[in-house]
Structures are given as structure tokens and as C-alpha cells.
Amino acid sequence: MTRIDAKFAALKAEGKKAFVAYVMAGDPDFDRSLELVRGLPGAGVDVIELGLPFTDPMADGPTIQLAGQRALETGMTLDRTLELARLFRQGDDETPIVMMGYYNPIYSRGVDRFLEQAKAAGIDGLIIVDLPPEEDDELCLPAQKAGLNFIRLATPTTDDKRLPKVLQNTSGFVYYVSITGITGAAEAEATDVGPEVARIKAATDLPVIVGFGINTPEKSRTIASVADGAVVGSAIVGRIGSGAPVAEVLDFVKSLADAAHSA
């Protein structure tokens, strides 16, 4: 059982929805990023999504693109991202970390070497947005063999014919993308999301967490109420990008987490 599996089992036993926060590793710089990540569990975050900076983030909107750029400009690399996870793990052995990004840096490192390093750093799962199920032999299956969850995205365009393929080797949880498009592009609506979550849950026992388009505590609560939890990324990253102090960012995260937990 991974930390992700254990976390969702504990939340289910408590009758609580999950709150997942996305931050870009190294944004705005390594030290403040580490301080922020260390503060997320205390702000109510159940699972941390740690963005791996990349030069061509095709699924991301301007807010997260700029975060990746800021991180890269301060010297953030795959090794530094793993180091950040390692340092976080020195004080927290329970909160799951999901690394979210693109395949190129992993492919360049070599899959086996990357998985060994990620596992040693305390990474629990991967979301690699540009690897479809047809490429499961590349990373998904080796990751699961190494003890990491491989989390797949389902979208509004994932129809009933495609859904079984998407779910086939997914583990940890299913990430439902609430809108068609890039991150931060539109707002999620519970009336649209609810039936889609129900459709996915009819096909899998995994938790279904909803992300994209969630930017306020009220939205966090309403989306969590129709799913197993909510993910917020751009709204948090935007505050980091505006220069808000870490404590202020964490206060905002807490308001989102409290709202999701109250659903």
C-alpha cells in the first residue's frame, strides 16, 4: 500500500473528502518553495502535487507556465526537484507526494534510474500528462512495479469507449479534468462535473478527484461535494507568482482545504 492508498483509506474511514494542492517545485525559488511545501500539510493538504518544471508545458495555462519559467530561471532541475522532496520527507513521512509533469525529463534521465531516484526521494505517484495509455510500457507499468502509483487523467472528452483504456493501469486515484482546455482557463461547475464523476466511479473503485477551474473556497466545497476531493493549482500558484508571502499563501490554501473537507 502506498502513502496515497493509505491516505484515501483514512479519509474514507473518516467520511472526509480529499484536498490536493499543486505547486511548482522551485517557484519562486528553492528555499521558499521548500518552506511552502513543508507548510502544506499543516494547512490541511492531504496530497501534494509537485510540479516538475519543463520548458514546453503543453497542458498548462499561463499561470503555471510562468511558474515553471520562474523555477527554471532559478536553476531548478529534476535533481533539485527530487532533492526538495527528500528534504520534505525528513520531517513528514506520511503526506503523499505526486510528481506531475511531462515525460521528456524522465526519458532523458532513463526510466529505471529515475524510478529508483524518485522512490528514494519519497515520491509516491506520478501524473505524466503526455503519456497516453497506449504507452504504458514506457513508464506506467515500470512505475507500478517499482511501487509508485501511476495516476491517469480523464477528461470531458473521455467517452465510454475510451474510459476502460484510461482506467486499465491507473492506480492511486483518477484525476478528472473538469474542463476542456488548459489549466486556469475556465471555472469548474458541479452540475457538469457530478454526472461525469458518477460515470467514472461506476467503472472503477478508485477515488475520483477533480481539478482544473477550482479557484475559491466555495468552488472547492461544491466540487468536492460531487467527487472524492478537489485539486487546486493555478489559484495557489498565481498567489505565489504575485509575490505573496508564504504565510499568506498557506492561509489561502487552508481556506480551500477547510472548504473541501466540509463538503
Side-chain angles (χ1 to χ4, degrees), residues 16-241:
K16 280 175 70 175
K17 302 300 179 77
F19 181 71
V20 182
Y22 171 96
V23 293
M24 179 66 72
D27 177 35
D29 56 54
F30 187 91
D31 290 341
R32 278 181 286 180
S33 180
L34 178 60
E35 182 186 353
L36 178 66
V37 172
R38 281 175 165 162
L40 291 176
V45 173
D46 298 301
V47 179
I48 297 168
E49 277 184 17
L50 190 61
L52 175 61
F54 183 52
T55 52
D56 188 21
M58 67 183 102
D60 294 309
T63 301
I64 291 178
Q65 285 187 27
L66 288 169
Q69 227 172 325
R70 288 191 297 268
L72 291 168
E73 285 169 0
T74 63
M76 207 61 186
T77 61
L78 174 55
D79 284 331
R80 294 284 277 160
T81 300
L82 293 172
E83 176 65 12
L84 192 148
R86 262 193 298 272
L87 291 170
F88 171 82
R89 278 281 169 249
Q90 291 177 1
D92 187 318
D93 196 41
E94 290 185 9
T95 306
I97 300 176
V98 175
M99 183 181 282
M100 186 170 187
Y102 299 84
Y103 186 43
N104 186 284
I106 296 168
Y107 176 80
S108 299
R109 173 62 48 96
V111 167
D112 291 343
R113 186 172 167 222
F114 166 75
L115 290 173
E116 184 181 333
Q117 292 174 336
K119 186 76 174 168
I123 301 294
D124 304 292
L126 301 172
I127 300 175
I128 307 300
V129 298
D130 54 349
L131 271 183
E134 287 74 16
E135 304 295 335
D136 275 357
D137 289 342
E138 285 282 324
L139 181 61
C140 172
L141 297 180
Q144 306 220 70
K145 190 176 179 184
L148 278 75
N149 290 124
F150 198 88
I151 295 134
R152 190 87 65 195
L153 304 180
T155 75
T157 60
T158 306
D159 60 19
D160 289 339
K161 184 179 178 184
R162 180 66 174 167
L163 185 59
K165 188 73 174 173
V166 169
L167 297 174
Q168 186 175 336
N169 292 313
T170 299
S171 65
F173 60 91
V174 179
Y175 187 136
Y176 179 68
V177 176
S178 65
I179 59 172
T180 303
I182 54 176
T183 57
E187 290 197 12
E189 297 297 340
T191 50
D192 299 327
V193 168
E196 289 298 297
V197 170
R199 181 170 69 91
I200 296 167
K201 288 182 72 66
T204 180
D205 293 330
L206 293 171
V208 180
I209 309 302
V210 177
F212 286 48
I214 303 170
N215 50 23
T216 64
E218 178 58 21
K219 192 68 75 174
S220 178
R221 186 190 66 75
T222 58
I223 294 298
S225 73
V226 297
D228 294 306
V231 185
V232 178
S234 293
I236 297 169
V237 171
R239 277 167 169 75
I240 297 168

